Amino acid sequence: MAFRLCFPKINISGSGSLAEVPGELAARGLKRPVIITDATLVKFGLVAPLLEGLKEKGIEAFVYDGVVPNPTVPVVEAAYKVFVDNKCDAIIGVGGGSPIDTAKAVRILSANPGPITLYEGVGKVAKAGAFLAAVNTTAGTAAEVTSNAVITDPVAQVKMVIIDANIIPDISVNDSAMMTGIPAATTAATGMDALTHAIEAYVAKGAHVLTDYAALEAIRLIAAYLPRAVKDGKDLEAREMMAYGQFIAGLAFNSAGLGLVHAMAHQPGAVKDLPHGVCNAILMPLVEEFNRPYAVERFARIAEAMGVDIKGLSIEDASKAAITAIRDLSETVGIPSGFAELGVTEDDFPLWVQKAQKDPCAPGNPVAATDADILDLYKKAL
Ligand SMILES: NC(=O)c1ccc[n+]([C@@H]2O[C@H](COP(=O)([O-])OP(=O)(O)OC[C@H]3O[C@@H](n4cnc5c(N)ncnc54)[C@H](O)[C@@H]3O)[C@@H](O)[C@H]2O)c1
Ligand SMILES: CCCCCCO
Ligand SMILES: [Fe+2]
Ligand SMILES: [Zn+2]
């Protein structure tokens, strides 16, 4: 069966990469970009250098800085209004997954009729739309690489997942110098999201030799460098390696798919507005223990990539060591141990079970889960 490996045409990374963006727009004759970002990034002074660089090239940029974590349909509509009102000809997303997904949604509306809810699901975006550069500042969702955008529909209270190669950014940028100010809790949450991407992609039904190498290397880099980046945000080597780790995890999951961790994690993200990476991290050890018996050899490889010395261990014991290593890393970087301390109760679960079963990430899981399995896993995650 044909395997489709897709990612942006141009991917610029390394400390100082942000400075390349104005030249990329000038080279294409683009004159009026909208920059879609959030207020924190503006406050941290991370957008100003881009505005200066664009001005030096005679490019007038317009800024929408109203993005919030777990971005919603109204946020997309407000950002799109800035694009239309200023007759913009390009889109630059600056931030983590939230601004980048918002930028992808604006790109959809730049060439396809609204509302954005029309595009939930797979392959519904007919035209690619305006030029899109994605400047990623967390490590991370790899949203700067993927064919996906996650937008919360506040009416249906669901995180809509839009999946289409037409929304892959034209250019991805990973400038680790922009990441030194990420707060420790966000560093931990986004790093565990990246680890979830790599592990889910490695055990997914859609895993392929063309993504397995990336998934394993991402696991290795994240396990080695995430604790350092959480401990000292100014550790540039750790920030750089985390940026690479999350990026190649994105190369893996964008083509291999994800699984039940994401399908379940999207629900507290949508309904309780909890950080995406925290939801993944709480659920990951539980779901992967559920999956482990169906992918024992792969979990043994995951243990090895996480730095566990599996010499002398049976494959079964090595696979169990992977689950322990995931739990230990989550604890080391300070992820909350369960949903209860985040205001979740058992009353939330019946609806979440139904929504998780319908989430586009669910079919990628190596083993199908019944409603009862998912309910049991949510309860264990309290
Ligand atoms: N498109 C995809 O493939 C994909 C994959 C996974 C997750 N997502 C989505 O991405 C969103 C989560 O994105 P995220 O985890 O990157 O977080 P985020 O974009 O929501 O940002 C989290 C917080 O960190 C701050 N921040 C970001 N970069 C910073 C920096 N360099 N310095 C200081 N503060 C910074 C932001 O201002 C925000 O307050 C969720 O909506 C999730 O569903 C999308
Ligand atoms: C199957 C890809 C879905 C990506 C959503 C990540 O939160
Ligand atoms: Fe996700
Ligand atoms: Zn994710």
Side-chain angles (χ1 to χ4, degrees), residues 38 40 96-98 101 137-138 141 146 148 159 178 182 186 190 276:
D38 66 42
T40 305
S98 295
D101 281 357
T137 66
T138 63
T141 67
T146 71
N148 321 308
K159 275 174 88 76
M178 296 176 81
I182 307 172
T186 304
T190 49
H276 176 64

Side-chain angles (χ1 to χ4, degrees), residues 197 262 266 276:
H197 295 156
H262 264 80
H266 284 156
H276 176 64

Side-chain angles (χ1 to χ4, degrees), residues 58-204:
I59 297 173
E60 184 182 11
F62 302 87
V63 179
Y64 172 77
D65 63 2
V67 177
V68 292
N70 297 312
T72 61
V73 169
V75 163
V76 169
E77 286 162 353
Y80 179 57
K81 189 171 181 314
V82 175
F83 176 87
V84 172
D85 290 356
N86 295 289
K87 298 183 178 49
C88 293
D89 59 6
I91 303 162
I92 307 174
V94 181
S98 295
I100 292 176
D101 281 357
T102 305
K104 287 177 172 178
V106 169
R107 178 190 211 180
I108 292 172
L109 296 178
S110 73
N112 304 275
I116 192 66
T117 44
L118 289 174
Y119 302 96
E120 180 178 14
V122 183
K124 298 186 179 172
V125 181
K127 295 186 194 141
F131 172 87
L132 171 62
V135 180
N136 174 50
T137 66
T138 63
T141 67
E144 76 280 8
V145 166
T146 71
S147 330
N148 321 308
V150 187
I151 301 296
T152 297
D153 174 347
V155 175
Q157 283 213 309
V158 67
K159 275 174 88 76
M160 295 188 303
V161 182
I162 301 169
I163 304 174
D164 196 301
N166 272 333
I167 67 173
I168 296 177
D170 296 286
I171 293 182
S172 80
V173 178
N174 270 286
D175 183 341
S176 45
M178 296 176 81
M179 301 177 186
T180 55
I182 307 172
T186 304
T187 299
T190 49
M192 290 306 285
D193 183 26
L195 183 67
T196 312
H197 295 156
I199 289 177
E200 289 218 281
Y202 188 58
V203 302

Side-chain angles (χ1 to χ4, degrees), residues 346-373:
E346 286 204 23
D347 298 348
D348 295 307
F349 294 156
L351 187 57
W352 292 5
V353 168
Q354 297 317 314
K355 288 183 176 178
Q357 287 284 28
K358 294 190 191 94
D359 187 288
C361 297
N365 204 59
V367 56
T370 64
D371 289 3
D373 292 328

